[in-house]
Amino acid sequence: MYIKIKNNHIELIKSANPYLIFATIFAFVIGLYYSLFQSPPDYIQGDSMRIMYIHVPSAWFALMTYSILAGSCVLWFITRNPLFNVVARSIAQVGMIFTLMSLITGSIWGKPTWGVWWVWDARLTSMLILFFLYIAYIFLWQAISNKELASKISAALAIIGFINIPIIKFSVDWWNTLHQPASISKLSAPSIDVSMLIPLFIMTAACFLFLVTVSLIRFRLVLIENKVLRTSN
Amino acid sequence: MSNLIKRDLLLSFYSSANFFFTVSFFILILMLIPFAFGTQTEQLKVLFRGVVWIALALSIIITVDRIYNADYEDGNLDIIMQKNKTIEYLIISKYITHWFIYCLPLLVILPLLSFLFYLDYLETTQIFINLFIGSFGMVFIANFVSALTLGARRTIFLKAIIMIPLFVPFIIFGSDAGSWPILLALSMLSFVISIYVTAYGLRLYGE
Amino acid sequence: MSNLIKRDLLLSFYSSANFFFTVSFFILILMLIPFAFGTQTEQLKVLFRGVVWIALALSIIITVDRIYNADYEDGNLDIIMQKNKTIEYLIISKYITHWFIYCLPLLVILPLLSFLFYLDYLETTQIFINLFIGSFGMVFIANFVSALTLGARRTIFLKAIIMIPLFVPFIIFGSDAGSWPILLALSMLSFVISIYVTAYGLRLYGE
Amino acid sequence: MNELLDMGGYAIFVWSSYGIFFFSLIIFFLINILNLRKYEKIFNKTKNKID
Amino acid sequence: MNELKTENLSCKRGENIVLNNINFSIKSGETLVVKGRNGSGKTTLLRILSSFITSYEGKVLFNDVGISEDNLYNSKFNLIGQKNSLKENLSIKKNLELWDILFNEALDHTKLLEHNNLYHLFNKDVSSLSDGQKKCISLHRLNYNKYDLWFLDEPFVFLDEVNTNLLIEKINQFNENMGTVILTSNINLPKKFHKEINI
Amino acid sequence: MNELKTENLSCKRGENIVLNNINFSIKSGETLVVKGRNGSGKTTLLRILSSFITSYEGKVLFNDVGISEDNLYNSKFNLIGQKNSLKENLSIKKNLELWDILFNEALDHTKLLEHNNLYHLFNKDVSSLSDGQKKCISLHRLNYNKYDLWFLDEPFVFLDEVNTNLLIEKINQFNENMGTVILTSNINLPKKFHKEINI
Ligand code: HEM
Ligand SMILES: Nc1ncnc2c1ncn2[C@@H]1O[C@H](COP(=O)(O)OP(=O)(O)OP(=O)(O)O)[C@@H](O)[C@H]1O
Ligand SMILES: Nc1ncnc2c1ncn2[C@@H]1O[C@H](COP(=O)(O)OP(=O)(O)OP(=O)(O)O)[C@@H](O)[C@H]1O
Ligand SMILES: [Mg+2]
Ligand SMILES: [Mg+2]
């Protein structure tokens, strides 16, 4: 179970870096071509629904990244393998960016479809809270100067934060004061066209590549940061 | 355990965080409603339900530093941890005193205040029950946040940013009249989490 | 004077009371509105006007300890007072930094937030002007309260209870769109009072 | 071409969201790359000192 | 007859090793003076002995039982560190009341403070005391009974000659009653104690 | 050639008279050691000399001008009290940056800290330093230039022998450069300074 990060692993990551960057750019270019030019406009929403191709992948990866974050924090506590701590720390900020992107693109999309930038419904708000959970994790780590301690403390917080996600997501049912606008469910119905699925799929793949690329860069960054902090202290 | 409660109550009484002050604080906060939002009776009622929760959250946020920080900084936490080797008792005492000092006053004046805001008997009772249950949960959360951030740069903002998202479920269900069972579940959940995490944080910083 | 401002800004940046945190804090506080009060658009608008003031007041209340207390306790205030013999300059620098760190972020994100709460351009501008003028007045008040309570038992409640009534006029006129001239008068009045009282307080505790 | 830029009247929304999205991703990527360079430099320096 | 003993005690703080193979043993009625340069780990040693720091290597034995195994060990020592455990904004009287509750023992403070010539300050706030007076009050915790071990971290700092001698006398008395004292000190003490180690 | 002088200086704190008719005079290049029992008013004296306390009787003259009349007096002394003016949760580096701004002078901290053997702690938080190390950093303020007077309140407290000697050396050097030092001390110093008063 105990995986030790060796120098040749880092070398491997390093050498994969240019390919990953290239693949990411390539996927985004293809995805952009499909999502902006090659797919038809939606018959209800018109061209504004092209925002979906960046909004939905961002939202998915925002949630997925937090799950990985919390998961690797749990694994860290169980196995005491520092690798998981490094993984958690390298992935957190990418997740935060995706969350922010999903919020921004979502609310830009909301203006033409709902007529307002923002509604205070459960899903949107849960996303906003997710954003602050990321912030809490990242900045709590920075605010504690004993970094060993900081990792433990912020990992504990990340795990606790995970509980909040299902609670707030389920609150869609309990929280009667609001209802989800119909436009979302219409789109997510299975009637979605293949011509829309292709760009969505490519953009999702591109976002995933981006997640991996940047996470691996941050992985190296975190490792070297640890070393620098250790020697300078 | 009872010693620690006694001591904390006495300390808060001496440092003029006494009953009178906390009550005044709550009254002042709630008094801001008509000033800030106007005085239509119907609206006041709705606002009142929400603002009691915000007032409670505020009271807990601004006092989160008192739970462990003050004692940590002046060295009393060492004595406390030495005398209460079963750290769980220590933490439970802290829950009790923190609730007692910073939440109870709100509950005590709630009937009076809801009277001023034209709420009827039934509505008051509902709010009271929700507040009673929810306040415990919020205290549990504040405790572990306080313990986790003992060594962090003394910044109440960071603590607020950590706490508010965790308070959100309480505020959502709290302002909804009938949902006390959910609040109860939330409070119990936060109790279980809090007691572990607080103990973890305190042990870490004991070093 | 400019040295002191530079130092205070750097210090608050280092102690992670940076811009980003304060902005997050304001967003979170305002986010509580729909949770606590429901989400009818018209009501949200009204609430927003009031709650921005409460958020501002809160930000100032929870940071009032930072103005002079932290430096007083660790001895930096001695150095500051020695280097800035003209105590009025010292105080004005403190006004500026406190406003800069704990009020400006609210003004910066206000346009974004009022979008989220369905306010239009004109309404936003009015709120902005009111907040801009009023926040200075509130900072002046917080400063003298901080200086006067330097040696008092460390209780944020006491300070809150002193400050909230003084904030009330700002909140009343602040939530009223057209009354910025009154706010201006209030702010100027509190400036004059504050600069004397703060100087008095600082000299007393210098002893 | 104009039609395409116009996005059926939704130009401002579509282009701004895509713009913000890619701008942010690129900036974020660059920040991390530059940070990595910076730390690598510091690290090499301290290593030389020790050697 | 109690015995406190360390065997090959080593401790890291952060990345640095601050204690390296410390061995000593001390019996009831003795006083051990720990000396060493600034940052050599004297305070760390005391915090290990009082089981606040638990991540060390080697053994710390009290009556041949590891201190982390002994459930009652916590009620046997009294640690006076540099933090004075006083609330600056409360009067001495109130502070002592709070201590009485924490230590679960009601002392006759009046008499004890008079002994140190501090009684006239009884109702004054701690913040208006001089440094030496604060230190005296902080050391006042030694009057709580029932302890076998005293751990004193630089107890003579800030004290004037008279108060220093009073404290030495108190330590001697405690030793006579079979108490064990471990104290750290940077300065040369006016009296020689039983044992001394340099770390 | 500067001269600092008090004439019949008396001061009350609360109800108690703590300083009673203090007379001394000290010239450039000299060091005055103030001794006295705990609570006798040594710290109070230094705070009067640095014009924080203004309600006293008698006169304090710097070059025969009352210190409250002399507008430039404030830029002439450097007071190091017991509060160390350090932010516990910031690293030494950041603390020194903040001081640099306050003192309006950019020191070469690297070299100076190496002299005290503290440079390896440069990026550590103050809260993780030992008491002696904190005191050393606090005394680091003496490196800021341009002062004629140093007021040191028990500067040797917490310092080990090596650091004590370094400080004494520094004081001697300052005296040689015609600086004036007034320091308080409870312990017997290893070196005799020019003047001593007992209050
Ligand atoms: C700030 C505003 C918004 C936020 C924070 C947001 C958030 C999210 C999240 C978190 C998901 C993923 C849900 C999951 O995987 O379970 C999602 C999916 C989706 N969103 Fe949004 N959204 C916003 C605005 C919008 C708008 C305005 C539309 C369109 C009218 C929209 C359409 C969709 C669609 C079609 C999906 C994918 C299908 C689904 O999972 O239901 N969103 N959004
Ligand atoms: N909380 C901490 N985290 C990391 N390192 C620490 C911590 N506390 C102390 N240290 C380091 O451990 C070393 C020993 O510190 P300690 O306080 O035990 O020294 P000491 O012998 O008591 O010194 P002094 O004579 O100055 O009081 C120091 O180098 C210090 O920097
Ligand atoms: N702020 C204050 N208000 C009232 N009385 C004070 C205040 N500060 C000090 N005193 C009193 O004045 C007296 C002198 O205090 P001071 O701190 O000057 O003594 P000191 O000579 O420095 O003693 P030490 O050797 O203990 O440092 C003490 O009795 C103290 O109680
Ligand atoms: Mg020590
Ligand atoms: Mg003194």
Side-chain angles (χ1 to χ4, degrees):
Chain A
M1 196 61 201
Y2 198 93
I3 311 155
K4 204 165 182 308
I5 309 157
K6 294 200 190 97
N7 258 349
N8 55 342
H9 295 153
I10 298 170
E11 286 305 317
L12 191 71
I13 293 170
K14 221 177 190 170
S15 58
N17 192 35
Y19 302 106
L20 279 171
I21 293 175
F22 179 76
T24 312
I25 295 172
F26 183 74
F28 268 130
V29 170
I30 301 281
L32 269 180
Y33 174 71
Y34 268 92
S35 51
L36 289 176
F37 310 113
Q38 263 304 338
S39 62
D42 186 68
Y43 68 100
I44 305 170
Q45 297 196 8
D47 281 301
S48 77
M49 61 80 56
R50 293 184 194 281
I51 298 175
M52 178 178 77
Y53 305 130
I54 50 177
H55 168 73
V56 173
S58 317
W60 283 342
F61 287 116
L63 298 179
M64 193 183 94
T65 311
Y66 197 88
S67 312
I68 299 175
L69 170 66
S72 54
C73 287
V74 170
L75 285 177
W76 184 47
F77 279 127
I78 294 173
T79 65
R80 297 273 152 200
N81 185 342
L83 172 72
F84 292 114
N85 179 33
V86 180
V87 168
R89 281 182 47 213
S90 33
I91 205 164
Q93 309 204 349
V94 199
M96 187 187 76
I97 287 293
F98 275 130
T99 316
L100 188 61
M101 286 308 105
S102 139
L103 283 168
I104 291 175
T105 55
S107 71
I108 294 177
W109 196 4
K111 186 65 184 169
T113 36
W114 304 334
V116 284
W117 297 97
W118 184 262
V119 283
W120 290 98
D121 89 333
R123 172 175 280 181
L124 270 60
T125 318
S126 76
M127 210 57 185
L128 190 57
I129 288 176
L130 183 65
F131 180 65
F132 287 110
L133 288 175
Y134 276 118
I135 286 183
Y137 175 80
I138 293 165
F139 283 94
L140 187 56
W141 190 85
Q142 288 184 4
I144 301 172
S145 56
N146 180 344
K147 291 309 176 194
E148 225 172 290
L149 199 64
S151 299
K152 290 179 188 165
I153 297 281
S154 48
L157 185 75
I159 296 168
I160 296 162
F162 186 74
I163 296 161
N164 215 32
I165 297 178
I167 289 180
I168 299 170
K169 283 203 92 177
F170 291 133
S171 71
V172 188
D173 310 326
W174 300 326
W175 194 18
N176 299 320
T177 46
L178 267 188
H179 56 272
Q180 198 117 333
S183 40
I184 288 188
S185 49
K186 214 166 269 172
L187 258 170
S188 56
S191 64
I192 188 164
D193 199 75
V194 183
S195 57
M196 289 178 179
L197 272 181
I198 294 173
L200 183 60
F201 176 77
I202 300 174
M203 285 303 265
T204 307
C207 283
F208 180 71
L209 280 171
F210 181 81
L211 175 71
V212 172
T213 314
V214 179
S215 296
L216 286 179
I217 288 173
R218 284 197 48 80
F219 188 82
R220 278 157 65 199
L221 176 61
V222 168
L223 282 178
I224 211 161
E225 207 179 17
N226 282 350
K227 274 184 204 154
V228 169
L229 288 176
R230 215 173 285 154
T231 44
S232 67
N233 272 10
Chain B
M1 187 169 161
S2 72
N3 267 356
L4 186 55
I5 295 179
K6 209 165 119 194
R7 180 255 181 193
D8 280 354
L9 289 180
L10 194 63
L11 173 59
S12 77
F13 177 73
Y14 281 158
S15 21
S16 60
N18 55 36
F19 211 75
F20 182 71
F21 271 52
T22 11
V23 166
S24 319
F25 175 77
F26 285 121
I27 295 176
L28 278 169
I29 293 284
L30 289 162
M31 196 190 71
L32 288 181
I33 306 178
F35 288 130
F37 307 108
T39 47
Q40 289 148 280
T41 311
E42 261 320 297
Q43 215 181 24
L44 279 185
K45 272 192 182 186
V46 181
L47 288 170
F48 182 77
R49 275 175 204 283
V51 175
V52 281
W53 282 94
I54 293 189
L56 181 65
L58 291 190
S59 155
I60 292 178
I61 290 173
I62 66 177
T63 57
V64 69
D65 265 346
R66 302 253 191 112
I67 311 179
Y68 298 108
N69 253 62
D71 282 334
Y72 175 69
E73 274 165 23
D74 64 25
N76 271 302
L77 194 59
D78 280 357
I79 304 180
I80 293 173
M81 289 192 38
Q82 185 193 339
K83 303 287 163 195
N84 299 269
K85 197 50 191 176
T86 320
I87 210 164
E88 283 76 17
Y89 286 157
L90 188 169
I91 296 166
I92 292 175
S93 325
K94 285 284 183 182
Y95 292 155
I96 296 172
T97 39
H98 196 238
W99 184 83
F100 216 82
I101 305 167
Y102 302 114
C103 300
L104 183 63
L106 178 59
L107 291 174
V108 171
I109 49 150
L110 187 74
L112 174 71
L113 284 171
S114 36
F115 183 67
L116 296 180
F117 282 83
Y118 316 113
L119 283 94
D120 64 30
Y121 179 71
L122 185 71
E123 289 167 320
T124 308
T125 318
Q126 284 173 338
I127 297 178
F128 186 90
I129 291 174
N130 276 3
L131 268 184
F132 181 79
I133 299 173
S135 57
F136 272 105
M138 284 161 90
V139 164
F140 300 148
I141 289 175
N143 259 270
F144 82 72
V145 172
S146 173
L148 283 185
T149 52
L150 263 185
R153 269 153 219 160
R154 189 181 164 180
T155 160
I156 205 159
F157 276 95
L158 178 61
K159 290 175 201 172
I161 293 171
I162 297 174
M163 275 192 292
I164 295 176
L166 299 174
F167 284 174
V168 164
F170 290 95
I171 294 177
I172 294 177
F173 295 112
S175 28
D176 185 12
S179 48
W180 65 264
I182 302 173
L183 281 177
L184 191 61
L186 282 175
S187 288
M188 276 157 58
L189 182 69
S190 24
F191 176 77
V192 175
I193 296 170
S194 171
I195 200 140
Y196 280 105
V197 179
T198 315
Y200 181 70
L202 288 182
R203 285 217 187 84
L204 277 185
Y205 287 109
E207 300 238 317
Chain C
M1 185 168 165
S2 72
N3 267 356
L4 186 55
I5 295 179
K6 208 165 121 195
R7 180 255 181 193
D8 280 353
L9 289 180
L10 195 63
L11 173 59
S12 78
F13 176 75
Y14 280 158
S15 19
S16 60
N18 56 35
F19 209 74
F20 193 69
F21 270 52
T22 10
V23 166
S24 310
F25 174 78
F26 284 122
I27 297 178
L28 278 169
I29 291 286
L30 289 161
M31 196 187 73
L32 291 181
I33 305 178
F35 289 131
F37 305 108
T39 48
Q40 289 148 282
T41 311
E42 262 319 298
Q43 213 181 26
L44 280 183
K45 269 192 184 185
V46 180
L47 286 168
F48 182 76
R49 276 175 204 282
V51 177
V52 281
W53 283 94
I54 294 186
L56 181 65
L58 183 63
S59 154
I60 291 179
I61 289 173
I62 67 176
T63 56
V64 70
D65 266 345
R66 305 251 190 112
I67 311 179
Y68 298 108
N69 251 61
D71 283 334
Y72 175 70
E73 273 166 23
D74 64 25
N76 270 303
L77 193 59
D78 280 358
I79 304 179
I80 293 173
M81 288 192 40
Q82 185 193 340
K83 302 288 162 196
N84 298 267
K85 197 50 192 175
T86 319
I87 209 164
E88 283 76 18
Y89 286 159
L90 188 168
I91 297 167
I92 291 175
S93 325
K94 286 284 183 181
Y95 291 155
I96 295 173
T97 39
H98 195 240
W99 184 83
F100 216 81
I101 305 168
Y102 302 114
C103 300
L104 183 63
L106 178 60
L107 292 173
V108 171
I109 48 151
L110 187 73
L112 173 72
L113 283 172
S114 33
F115 259 155
L116 301 184
F117 284 85
Y118 318 116
L119 284 95
D120 65 28
Y121 178 71
L122 185 68
E123 290 166 320
T124 309
T125 318
Q126 284 170 340
I127 298 178
F128 186 91
I129 292 174
N130 277 1
L131 268 184
F132 182 79
I133 299 173
S135 58
F136 273 106
M138 284 160 90
V139 164
F140 300 148
I141 289 174
N143 260 268
F144 82 72
V145 172
S146 172
L148 283 185
T149 53
L150 263 186
R153 269 153 219 163
R154 187 180 164 185
T155 161
I156 205 159
F157 272 96
L158 178 60
K159 290 175 199 172
I161 293 170
I162 299 175
M163 277 191 290
I164 294 176
L166 297 173
F167 285 172
V168 165
F170 289 94
I171 296 178
I172 295 176
F173 293 110
S175 24
D176 183 14
S179 50
W180 64 266
I182 304 176
L183 281 177
L184 191 61
L186 281 175
S187 289
M188 275 158 57
L189 181 67
S190 29
F191 176 76
V192 176
I193 296 172
S194 169
I195 201 143
Y196 281 105
V197 179
T198 315
Y200 178 73
L202 289 182
R203 286 217 186 84
L204 269 189
Y205 288 108
E207 299 237 320
Chain D
M1 192 63 196
N2 256 347
E3 206 175 283
L4 196 138
L5 285 179
D6 189 42
M7 282 292 167
Y10 292 116
I12 176 114
F13 301 113
V14 175
W15 290 115
S16 65
S17 56
Y18 273 78
I20 292 172
F21 181 78
F22 283 103
F23 180 76
S24 311
L25 291 201
I26 289 168
I27 291 291
F28 179 66
F29 175 80
L30 286 181
I31 287 174
N32 279 303
I33 281 280
L34 292 180
N35 252 337
L36 181 63
R37 293 266 160 78
K38 193 182 91 185
Y39 272 99
E40 264 169 350
K41 233 182 233 165
I42 298 173
F43 180 63
N44 288 336
K45 231 189 247 163
T46 50
K47 216 169 62 177
N48 289 342
K49 234 185 212 170
I50 293 164
D51 289 345
Chain E
M1 194 72 177
N2 294 317
E3 187 187 15
L4 185 65
K5 191 160 73 180
T6 62
E7 284 176 6
N8 295 325
L9 181 66
S10 301
C11 181
K12 263 173 136 182
R13 301 218 79 167
E15 291 301 303
N16 306 329
I17 297 169
V18 293
L19 294 176
N20 200 357
N21 270 327
I22 306 289
N23 287 295
F24 68 80
S25 118
I26 179 169
K27 294 212 174 62
S28 292
E30 290 181 333
T31 296
L32 172 73
V33 180
V34 182
K35 298 203 129 194
R37 288 212 50 184
N38 288 145
S40 61
K42 302 181 291 296
T43 305
T44 306
L45 178 63
L46 290 191
R47 285 187 78 79
I48 291 176
L49 295 180
S50 39
S51 68
F52 284 109
I53 299 180
T54 48
S55 54
Y56 52 83
E57 274 158 43
K59 283 183 189 160
V60 184
L61 304 171
F62 184 63
N63 294 335
D64 295 319
V65 184
I67 55 168
S68 52
E69 274 109 59
D70 185 351
N71 277 326
L72 292 175
Y73 182 69
N74 260 283
S75 55
K76 290 189 177 134
F77 65 84
N78 199 348
L79 168 73
I80 316 277
Q82 280 318 314
K83 292 179 174 179
N84 57 22
S85 298
L86 291 166
K87 302 281 168 192
E88 286 275 318
N89 290 311
L90 297 183
S91 67
I92 296 182
K93 179 162 176 259
K94 289 177 179 170
N95 268 296
L96 297 183
E97 258 175 63
L98 294 173
W99 277 353
D100 275 357
I101 302 175
L102 272 186
F103 281 87
N104 207 0
E105 186 184 347
L107 289 184
D108 179 7
H109 298 292
T110 322
K111 222 183 80 196
L112 291 164
L113 287 181
E114 251 165 16
H115 184 239
N116 273 50
N117 199 14
L118 283 170
Y119 183 64
H120 64 289
L121 301 168
F122 203 40
N123 285 309
K124 274 205 171 185
D125 270 17
V126 170
S127 61
S128 75
L129 300 183
S130 80
D131 301 304
Q133 289 165 341
K134 274 183 205 169
K135 189 78 195 177
C136 280
I137 303 284
S138 173
L139 287 164
H140 185 66
R141 265 178 288 166
L142 293 179
N143 292 319
Y144 289 102
N145 281 317
K146 303 181 295 189
Y147 295 101
D148 300 322
L149 300 160
W150 283 358
F151 301 139
L152 312 180
D153 194 9
E154 315 212 13
F156 300 104
V157 146
F158 293 125
L159 295 186
D160 62 18
E161 261 169 71
V162 180
N163 283 323
T164 304
N165 288 331
L166 281 176
L167 179 59
I168 290 177
E169 204 175 284
K170 196 175 227 164
I171 291 175
N172 286 339
Q173 222 163 0
F174 185 63
N175 279 337
E176 274 161 31
N177 296 328
M178 301 314 280
T180 312
V181 181
I182 299 185
L183 62 86
T184 69
S185 173
N186 275 319
I187 54 168
N188 291 317
L189 301 176
K191 182 192 178 267
K192 255 197 111 50
F193 289 102
H194 308 79
K195 288 193 175 174
E196 199 174 307
I197 54 166
N198 235 300
I199 61 174
Chain F
M1 195 70 177
N2 294 316
E3 187 186 15
L4 185 65
K5 192 159 72 179
T6 62
E7 284 176 5
N8 296 325
L9 181 65
S10 303
C11 180
K12 265 173 137 181
R13 298 218 81 164
E15 292 300 303
N16 307 329
I17 296 168
V18 293
L19 294 175
N20 199 357
N21 270 328
I22 306 289
N23 287 294
F24 68 80
S25 118
I26 180 170
K27 293 210 174 64
S28 292
E30 289 181 335
T31 296
L32 172 73
V33 179
V34 182
K35 297 204 131 193
R37 288 213 48 185
N38 288 144
S40 60
K42 301 181 290 297
T43 306
T44 307
L45 177 63
L46 290 191
R47 286 187 76 79
I48 291 175
L49 295 180
S50 38
S51 66
F52 284 109
I53 299 178
T54 47
S55 53
Y56 52 84
E57 273 158 43
K59 282 182 190 164
V60 183
L61 303 171
F62 183 65
N63 294 337
D64 295 321
V65 183
I67 55 169
S68 52
E69 273 108 61
D70 185 350
N71 277 328
L72 293 174
Y73 182 68
N74 260 282
S75 55
K76 288 188 179 135
F77 65 85
N78 198 349
L79 168 72
I80 315 277
Q82 280 317 315
K83 293 179 175 179
N84 57 22
S85 298
L86 293 167
K87 301 282 167 192
E88 285 275 317
N89 289 312
L90 296 183
S91 66
I92 296 182
K93 180 162 175 256
K94 288 176 179 169
N95 268 296
L96 296 183
E97 258 175 61
L98 293 173
W99 278 354
D100 275 357
I101 300 175
L102 272 187
F103 281 86
N104 208 358
E105 185 183 347
L107 288 185
D108 180 7
H109 297 290
T110 322
K111 224 184 78 196
L112 292 165
L113 287 181
E114 252 164 17
H115 183 239
N116 275 46
N117 200 14
L118 283 170
Y119 184 63
H120 63 289
L121 301 168
F122 203 40
N123 286 308
K124 273 209 172 184
D125 269 20
V126 170
S127 61
S128 75
L129 300 182
S130 79
D131 301 305
Q133 289 165 339
K134 273 184 205 167
K135 189 77 196 178
C136 280
I137 304 284
S138 173
L139 287 165
H140 186 68
R141 265 177 287 165
L142 293 179
N143 292 319
Y144 289 101
N145 282 317
K146 301 181 297 188
Y147 295 101
D148 301 322
L149 300 161
W150 283 358
F151 301 140
L152 312 180
D153 194 7
E154 315 212 12
F156 300 104
V157 147
F158 294 122
L159 295 185
D160 63 17
E161 262 170 70
V162 180
N163 284 323
T164 305
N165 288 332
L166 281 175
L167 180 58
I168 290 177
E169 205 175 282
K170 197 176 227 166
I171 291 175
N172 285 339
Q173 222 164 0
F174 186 63
N175 278 337
E176 273 162 30
N177 297 329
M178 301 314 281
T180 313
V181 181
I182 299 185
L183 63 87
T184 70
S185 176
N186 276 318
I187 54 168
N188 292 317
L189 302 176
K191 181 189 179 270
K192 256 199 108 52
F193 289 103
H194 309 79
K195 286 192 177 176
E196 199 173 307
I197 54 166
N198 235 299
I199 61 174

